[in-house]
């Protein structure tokens, strides 16, 4: 069983992916983390994440160990990830990495949950379940501010909102694998829902589909 979850940043994909993986006993891959690892490896080597050649070379060498590095949740990593993710060579290299995981999930699990931007459209177009999780940019910025503050970091709403709009625009406008719902994805706007309600709605959707089959 493959569950593909796509949507913009801070829409609630991560927590949903984790809960679905636990519920169904599936392996979990946060694909944004791979783009973050590529971006940070470029930055750490003194390179520019917008340098297509440097970013592609790093992406071709990425391994599971690179995903365990500490600072991948930072805004610097998010920004670098968004920049390397427009590079076609980076996307091609990471496509193979993600498909390998989906085909052979870790721990011998019977399937996987992958969350990202192009899972249902490109990485796993044959996924059994495709979800497109969104929320207004204002709600997502508020959630991100709360999350940063809970981690003891300073966060200014206006700045987070601007950054998020910039990243949304970059993710949606890129030529290769832009952020968009797969044609047969279940769309869910989480602006007025908490994590429990999102999980319940998705479980209802999955069970209604299973009854159709
Ligand atoms: O989900 P996230 O914030 O960790 O993602 C970081 C960046 O990586 C995001 O701006 C777009 C990119 N990304 C992508 O292009 N394709 C994916 N499947 C996952 C993330």
């Amino acid at each position: 069983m493959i569950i593909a979850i796509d949507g913009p940043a801070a829409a609630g994909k991560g927590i949903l992916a984790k809960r679905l993986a636990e519920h169904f006993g599936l392996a979990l891959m946060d694909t944004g983390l791979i783009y973050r690892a590529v971006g940070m490896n470029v930055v750490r080597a003194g390179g520019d994440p917008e340098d297509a050649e440097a970013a592609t070379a790093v992406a071709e060498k990425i391994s599971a160990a690179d995903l365990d590095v500490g600072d991948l949740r930072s805004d610097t990593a998010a920004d670098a990830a968004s920049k390397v993710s427009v590079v076609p060579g980076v996307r091609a290299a990471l496509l193979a990495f993600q498909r390998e995981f989906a085909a052979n999930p870790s721990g011998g699990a019977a399937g996987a949950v992958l969350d990202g931007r192009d899972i249902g459209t490109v990485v796993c177009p044959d996924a059994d379940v495709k979800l497109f999780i969104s929320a207004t940019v204002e709600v997502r910025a508020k959630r991100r501010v709360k999350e940063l503050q809970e981690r003891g970091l300073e966060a200014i709403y206006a700045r987070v909102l601007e950054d998020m709009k910039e990243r949304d625009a970059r993710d949606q406008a890129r030529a290769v694998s832009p952020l968009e719902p797969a044609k047969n994805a279940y769309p869910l706007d989480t602006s007025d829902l908490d994590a429990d309600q999102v999980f319940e709605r998705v479980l209802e959707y999955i069970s209604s589909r299973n009854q159709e089959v």
Side-chain angles (χ1 to χ4, degrees), residues 168-210:
D168 281 359
R170 216 184 282 137
D171 290 349
Q172 285 159 5
R174 67 172 173 243
V176 187
S177 302
L179 170 65
E180 62 183 354
K183 279 194 191 71
N184 49 353
Y186 172 67
L188 186 60
D189 185 323
T190 70
S191 301
D192 299 317
L193 303 176
D194 65 22
D196 287 342
Q197 291 169 319
V198 172
F199 183 56
E200 276 161 29
R201 294 268 182 108
V202 167
L203 283 187
E204 273 166 29
Y205 166 68
I206 293 175
S207 87
S208 72
R209 279 198 23 154
N210 288 344

Short mmCIF file of all heavy atoms in Angstrom, two decimals, residues 168-210:
data_model
loop_
_atom_site.label_atom_id
_atom_site.label_comp_id
_atom_site.label_asym_id
_atom_site.label_seq_id
_atom_site.Cartn_x
_atom_site.Cartn_y
_atom_site.Cartn_z
N ASP A 168 5.99 29.25 -1.65
CA ASP A 168 4.82 28.73 -2.37
C ASP A 168 4.96 29.06 -3.86
O ASP A 168 4.74 28.20 -4.72
CB ASP A 168 3.53 29.41 -1.88
CG ASP A 168 3.01 28.83 -0.57
OD1 ASP A 168 3.63 27.90 -0.04
OD2 ASP A 168 1.98 29.34 -0.08
N ALA A 169 5.33 30.32 -4.14
CA ALA A 169 5.41 30.77 -5.52
C ALA A 169 6.49 29.97 -6.26
O ALA A 169 6.27 29.50 -7.38
CB ALA A 169 5.74 32.26 -5.57
N ARG A 170 7.63 29.75 -5.59
CA ARG A 170 8.71 28.99 -6.22
C ARG A 170 8.28 27.54 -6.45
O ARG A 170 8.53 26.97 -7.51
CB ARG A 170 9.95 29.05 -5.32
CG ARG A 170 11.24 29.13 -6.10
CD ARG A 170 12.45 29.09 -5.17
NE ARG A 170 12.70 30.35 -4.52
CZ ARG A 170 13.04 30.47 -3.22
NH1 ARG A 170 13.13 29.42 -2.45
NH2 ARG A 170 13.28 31.65 -2.70
N ASP A 171 7.62 26.93 -5.47
CA ASP A 171 7.21 25.52 -5.59
C ASP A 171 6.16 25.34 -6.70
O ASP A 171 6.13 24.34 -7.40
CB ASP A 171 6.61 25.00 -4.27
CG ASP A 171 7.65 24.85 -3.16
OD1 ASP A 171 8.85 24.94 -3.46
OD2 ASP A 171 7.25 24.64 -2.00
N GLN A 172 5.27 26.37 -6.83
CA GLN A 172 4.17 26.23 -7.81
C GLN A 172 4.60 26.61 -9.22
O GLN A 172 4.01 26.14 -10.19
CB GLN A 172 2.99 27.11 -7.38
CG GLN A 172 2.23 26.51 -6.22
CD GLN A 172 1.42 27.54 -5.45
OE1 GLN A 172 1.35 28.70 -5.83
NE2 GLN A 172 0.82 27.11 -4.35
N ALA A 173 5.62 27.46 -9.33
CA ALA A 173 5.96 28.00 -10.65
C ALA A 173 7.07 27.23 -11.36
O ALA A 173 7.31 27.47 -12.54
CB ALA A 173 6.40 29.47 -10.50
N ARG A 174 7.76 26.33 -10.64
CA ARG A 174 8.90 25.69 -11.30
C ARG A 174 8.44 24.82 -12.46
O ARG A 174 7.32 24.29 -12.45
CB ARG A 174 9.74 24.90 -10.29
CG ARG A 174 9.04 23.71 -9.72
CD ARG A 174 9.96 22.84 -8.86
NE ARG A 174 9.14 21.84 -8.25
CZ ARG A 174 8.95 21.68 -6.94
NH1 ARG A 174 9.58 22.44 -6.09
NH2 ARG A 174 8.16 20.74 -6.49
N ALA A 175 9.34 24.69 -13.45
CA ALA A 175 8.98 24.00 -14.68
C ALA A 175 8.84 22.49 -14.46
O ALA A 175 7.95 21.85 -15.02
CB ALA A 175 10.03 24.28 -15.75
N VAL A 176 9.73 21.92 -13.64
CA VAL A 176 9.71 20.47 -13.44
C VAL A 176 8.96 20.15 -12.15
O VAL A 176 9.28 20.68 -11.09
CB VAL A 176 11.15 19.91 -13.32
CG1 VAL A 176 11.14 18.39 -13.28
CG2 VAL A 176 12.02 20.41 -14.45
N SER A 177 7.98 19.26 -12.24
CA SER A 177 7.23 18.80 -11.07
C SER A 177 6.75 19.92 -10.15
O SER A 177 7.07 19.94 -8.97
CB SER A 177 8.09 17.85 -10.22
OG SER A 177 8.52 16.77 -10.95
N PRO A 178 5.99 20.89 -10.66
CA PRO A 178 5.48 21.94 -9.77
C PRO A 178 4.49 21.35 -8.76
O PRO A 178 3.94 20.27 -8.99
CB PRO A 178 4.77 22.90 -10.72
CG PRO A 178 4.40 22.07 -11.90
CD PRO A 178 5.47 21.02 -12.03
N LEU A 179 4.29 22.10 -7.66
CA LEU A 179 3.31 21.67 -6.66
C LEU A 179 1.91 21.82 -7.24
O LEU A 179 1.48 22.93 -7.56
CB LEU A 179 3.44 22.54 -5.41
CG LEU A 179 2.34 22.38 -4.37
CD1 LEU A 179 2.33 20.99 -3.76
CD2 LEU A 179 2.47 23.44 -3.27
N GLU A 180 1.21 20.71 -7.42
CA GLU A 180 -0.18 20.74 -7.90
C GLU A 180 -0.85 19.43 -7.50
O GLU A 180 -0.18 18.41 -7.35
CB GLU A 180 -0.24 20.95 -9.42
CG GLU A 180 0.41 19.84 -10.19
CD GLU A 180 0.42 20.08 -11.70
OE1 GLU A 180 -0.18 21.06 -12.16
OE2 GLU A 180 1.02 19.27 -12.40
N PRO A 181 -2.17 19.45 -7.31
CA PRO A 181 -2.84 18.21 -6.92
C PRO A 181 -2.83 17.20 -8.08
O PRO A 181 -2.99 17.60 -9.24
CB PRO A 181 -4.28 18.65 -6.63
CG PRO A 181 -4.30 20.13 -6.70
CD PRO A 181 -3.09 20.59 -7.42
N ALA A 182 -2.63 15.93 -7.76
CA ALA A 182 -2.80 14.89 -8.78
C ALA A 182 -4.28 14.89 -9.15
O ALA A 182 -5.14 15.26 -8.33
CB ALA A 182 -2.39 13.54 -8.20
N LYS A 183 -4.59 14.46 -10.37
CA LYS A 183 -5.99 14.52 -10.85
C LYS A 183 -6.95 13.76 -9.94
O LYS A 183 -8.05 14.18 -9.70
CB LYS A 183 -6.06 13.97 -12.27
CG LYS A 183 -5.65 15.02 -13.27
CD LYS A 183 -6.02 14.65 -14.70
CE LYS A 183 -5.34 15.60 -15.66
NZ LYS A 183 -3.88 15.39 -15.74
N ASN A 184 -6.49 12.60 -9.44
CA ASN A 184 -7.38 11.78 -8.62
C ASN A 184 -7.06 11.89 -7.13
O ASN A 184 -7.31 10.97 -6.36
CB ASN A 184 -7.30 10.31 -9.07
CG ASN A 184 -5.86 9.84 -9.20
OD1 ASN A 184 -4.92 10.64 -9.08
ND2 ASN A 184 -5.69 8.55 -9.42
N ALA A 185 -6.49 13.04 -6.71
CA ALA A 185 -6.17 13.20 -5.28
C ALA A 185 -7.41 13.66 -4.51
O ALA A 185 -8.26 14.38 -5.04
CB ALA A 185 -5.05 14.22 -5.11
N TYR A 186 -7.47 13.27 -3.23
CA TYR A 186 -8.53 13.74 -2.33
C TYR A 186 -8.06 15.07 -1.75
O TYR A 186 -7.04 15.11 -1.04
CB TYR A 186 -8.74 12.69 -1.23
CG TYR A 186 -9.66 13.12 -0.11
CD1 TYR A 186 -11.02 13.32 -0.34
CD2 TYR A 186 -9.18 13.30 1.19
CE1 TYR A 186 -11.87 13.71 0.70
CE2 TYR A 186 -10.02 13.68 2.23
CZ TYR A 186 -11.35 13.88 1.97
OH TYR A 186 -12.19 14.25 2.99
N PRO A 187 -8.76 16.18 -2.05
CA PRO A 187 -8.31 17.48 -1.54
C PRO A 187 -8.88 17.77 -0.16
O PRO A 187 -10.07 17.56 0.07
CB PRO A 187 -8.88 18.46 -2.58
CG PRO A 187 -10.09 17.78 -3.12
CD PRO A 187 -9.97 16.29 -2.89
N LEU A 188 -8.03 18.22 0.74
CA LEU A 188 -8.52 18.55 2.08
C LEU A 188 -7.90 19.87 2.53
O LEU A 188 -6.67 19.98 2.62
CB LEU A 188 -8.17 17.42 3.06
CG LEU A 188 -8.74 17.55 4.46
CD1 LEU A 188 -10.27 17.59 4.45
CD2 LEU A 188 -8.28 16.39 5.35
N ASP A 189 -8.76 20.86 2.80
CA ASP A 189 -8.29 22.15 3.32
C ASP A 189 -8.34 22.06 4.85
O ASP A 189 -9.41 21.85 5.42
CB ASP A 189 -9.21 23.28 2.82
CG ASP A 189 -8.71 24.65 3.24
OD1 ASP A 189 -8.18 24.77 4.37
OD2 ASP A 189 -8.84 25.60 2.45
N THR A 190 -7.19 22.19 5.49
CA THR A 190 -7.11 21.98 6.94
C THR A 190 -7.16 23.30 7.73
O THR A 190 -6.91 23.29 8.94
CB THR A 190 -5.80 21.24 7.32
OG1 THR A 190 -4.68 22.13 7.10
CG2 THR A 190 -5.61 19.98 6.49
N SER A 191 -7.51 24.41 7.05
CA SER A 191 -7.48 25.72 7.72
C SER A 191 -8.29 25.72 9.03
O SER A 191 -7.88 26.34 10.01
CB SER A 191 -8.03 26.81 6.80
OG SER A 191 -7.28 26.89 5.63
N ASP A 192 -9.44 25.05 9.02
CA ASP A 192 -10.30 25.08 10.21
C ASP A 192 -10.34 23.73 10.93
O ASP A 192 -11.28 23.45 11.68
CB ASP A 192 -11.74 25.48 9.82
CG ASP A 192 -11.77 26.86 9.20
OD1 ASP A 192 -11.10 27.75 9.74
OD2 ASP A 192 -12.44 27.04 8.16
N LEU A 193 -9.35 22.90 10.68
CA LEU A 193 -9.36 21.56 11.30
C LEU A 193 -8.11 21.38 12.16
O LEU A 193 -7.05 21.91 11.82
CB LEU A 193 -9.35 20.48 10.21
CG LEU A 193 -10.48 20.50 9.17
CD1 LEU A 193 -10.25 19.42 8.12
CD2 LEU A 193 -11.83 20.29 9.85
N ASP A 194 -8.24 20.61 13.26
CA ASP A 194 -7.03 20.28 14.01
C ASP A 194 -6.51 18.91 13.51
O ASP A 194 -7.15 18.26 12.67
CB ASP A 194 -7.26 20.32 15.53
CG ASP A 194 -8.25 19.26 16.02
OD1 ASP A 194 -8.42 18.25 15.31
OD2 ASP A 194 -8.84 19.44 17.10
N ALA A 195 -5.36 18.50 14.04
CA ALA A 195 -4.71 17.29 13.52
C ALA A 195 -5.60 16.05 13.66
O ALA A 195 -5.61 15.19 12.77
CB ALA A 195 -3.38 17.08 14.24
N ASP A 196 -6.37 15.98 14.78
CA ASP A 196 -7.25 14.81 14.98
C ASP A 196 -8.34 14.78 13.91
O ASP A 196 -8.67 13.72 13.36
CB ASP A 196 -7.94 14.89 16.35
CG ASP A 196 -6.98 14.58 17.49
OD1 ASP A 196 -5.92 13.99 17.21
OD2 ASP A 196 -7.29 14.95 18.63
N GLN A 197 -8.92 15.96 13.63
CA GLN A 197 -10.00 16.02 12.63
C GLN A 197 -9.48 15.67 11.23
O GLN A 197 -10.16 14.99 10.46
CB GLN A 197 -10.62 17.43 12.62
CG GLN A 197 -11.40 17.73 13.89
CD GLN A 197 -11.76 19.20 14.00
OE1 GLN A 197 -10.96 20.08 13.69
NE2 GLN A 197 -12.97 19.48 14.45
N VAL A 198 -8.27 16.12 10.93
CA VAL A 198 -7.68 15.81 9.62
C VAL A 198 -7.50 14.30 9.49
O VAL A 198 -7.89 13.68 8.48
CB VAL A 198 -6.31 16.52 9.44
CG1 VAL A 198 -5.61 16.06 8.18
CG2 VAL A 198 -6.50 18.05 9.42
N PHE A 199 -6.96 13.69 10.54
CA PHE A 199 -6.72 12.24 10.54
C PHE A 199 -8.04 11.48 10.36
O PHE A 199 -8.14 10.57 9.53
CB PHE A 199 -6.02 11.86 11.85
CG PHE A 199 -5.64 10.41 11.96
CD1 PHE A 199 -4.84 9.80 11.00
CD2 PHE A 199 -6.07 9.64 13.05
CE1 PHE A 199 -4.48 8.46 11.10
CE2 PHE A 199 -5.72 8.30 13.16
CZ PHE A 199 -4.93 7.71 12.19
N GLU A 200 -9.07 11.91 11.10
CA GLU A 200 -10.38 11.24 11.00
C GLU A 200 -10.96 11.34 9.58
O GLU A 200 -11.43 10.36 9.03
CB GLU A 200 -11.37 11.87 11.98
CG GLU A 200 -11.25 11.28 13.37
CD GLU A 200 -11.89 12.19 14.42
OE1 GLU A 200 -12.85 12.93 14.07
OE2 GLU A 200 -11.41 12.18 15.57
N ARG A 201 -10.90 12.56 9.02
CA ARG A 201 -11.45 12.74 7.65
C ARG A 201 -10.74 11.82 6.66
O ARG A 201 -11.37 11.24 5.78
CB ARG A 201 -11.23 14.18 7.17
CG ARG A 201 -11.98 15.20 7.94
CD ARG A 201 -13.34 15.49 7.28
NE ARG A 201 -13.97 16.53 8.07
CZ ARG A 201 -14.11 17.78 7.66
NH1 ARG A 201 -13.73 18.13 6.44
NH2 ARG A 201 -14.66 18.67 8.43
N VAL A 202 -9.42 11.74 6.80
CA VAL A 202 -8.65 10.94 5.85
C VAL A 202 -8.95 9.44 6.04
O VAL A 202 -9.12 8.71 5.06
CB VAL A 202 -7.14 11.26 5.95
CG1 VAL A 202 -6.31 10.23 5.19
CG2 VAL A 202 -6.87 12.67 5.41
N LEU A 203 -9.08 9.01 7.30
CA LEU A 203 -9.43 7.60 7.53
C LEU A 203 -10.79 7.28 6.93
O LEU A 203 -10.98 6.22 6.31
CB LEU A 203 -9.43 7.28 9.03
CG LEU A 203 -8.07 7.09 9.70
CD1 LEU A 203 -8.28 6.60 11.13
CD2 LEU A 203 -7.18 6.11 8.94
N GLU A 204 -11.74 8.22 7.09
CA GLU A 204 -13.08 8.02 6.49
C GLU A 204 -12.98 7.90 4.98
O GLU A 204 -13.60 7.04 4.36
CB GLU A 204 -13.99 9.22 6.81
CG GLU A 204 -14.72 9.11 8.12
CD GLU A 204 -15.32 10.45 8.54
OE1 GLU A 204 -15.65 11.28 7.66
OE2 GLU A 204 -15.43 10.67 9.76
N TYR A 205 -12.16 8.77 4.38
CA TYR A 205 -11.99 8.74 2.92
C TYR A 205 -11.40 7.39 2.48
O TYR A 205 -11.91 6.76 1.56
CB TYR A 205 -11.08 9.89 2.47
CG TYR A 205 -10.58 9.72 1.05
CD1 TYR A 205 -11.47 9.83 -0.02
CD2 TYR A 205 -9.26 9.42 0.79
CE1 TYR A 205 -11.03 9.65 -1.33
CE2 TYR A 205 -8.81 9.24 -0.51
CZ TYR A 205 -9.69 9.34 -1.56
OH TYR A 205 -9.26 9.15 -2.84
N ILE A 206 -10.36 6.94 3.20
CA ILE A 206 -9.71 5.68 2.82
C ILE A 206 -10.69 4.52 2.97
O ILE A 206 -10.79 3.66 2.09
CB ILE A 206 -8.41 5.45 3.63
CG1 ILE A 206 -7.38 6.52 3.26
CG2 ILE A 206 -7.84 4.05 3.38
CD1 ILE A 206 -6.09 6.48 4.06
N SER A 207 -11.47 4.52 4.05
CA SER A 207 -12.39 3.39 4.22
C SER A 207 -13.53 3.46 3.21
O SER A 207 -13.99 2.43 2.72
CB SER A 207 -12.84 3.25 5.67
OG SER A 207 -13.96 4.03 5.89
N SER A 208 -13.98 4.67 2.83
CA SER A 208 -15.04 4.76 1.82
C SER A 208 -14.53 4.25 0.47
O SER A 208 -15.24 3.62 -0.29
CB SER A 208 -15.54 6.19 1.68
OG SER A 208 -14.58 6.99 1.02
N ARG A 209 -13.25 4.49 0.20
CA ARG A 209 -12.69 4.01 -1.07
C ARG A 209 -12.56 2.50 -1.07
O ARG A 209 -12.80 1.85 -2.07
CB ARG A 209 -11.31 4.63 -1.26
CG ARG A 209 -11.40 6.02 -1.78
CD ARG A 209 -10.11 6.37 -2.32
NE ARG A 209 -9.42 5.12 -2.66
CZ ARG A 209 -8.50 5.01 -3.56
NH1 ARG A 209 -8.13 6.07 -4.22
NH2 ARG A 209 -7.91 3.88 -3.82
N ASN A 210 -12.15 1.96 0.09
CA ASN A 210 -12.00 0.51 0.18
C ASN A 210 -13.33 -0.19 -0.04
O ASN A 210 -13.40 -1.26 -0.62
CB ASN A 210 -11.41 0.10 1.53
CG ASN A 210 -9.94 0.47 1.61
OD1 ASN A 210 -9.32 0.76 0.58
ND2 ASN A 210 -9.40 0.49 2.80
#
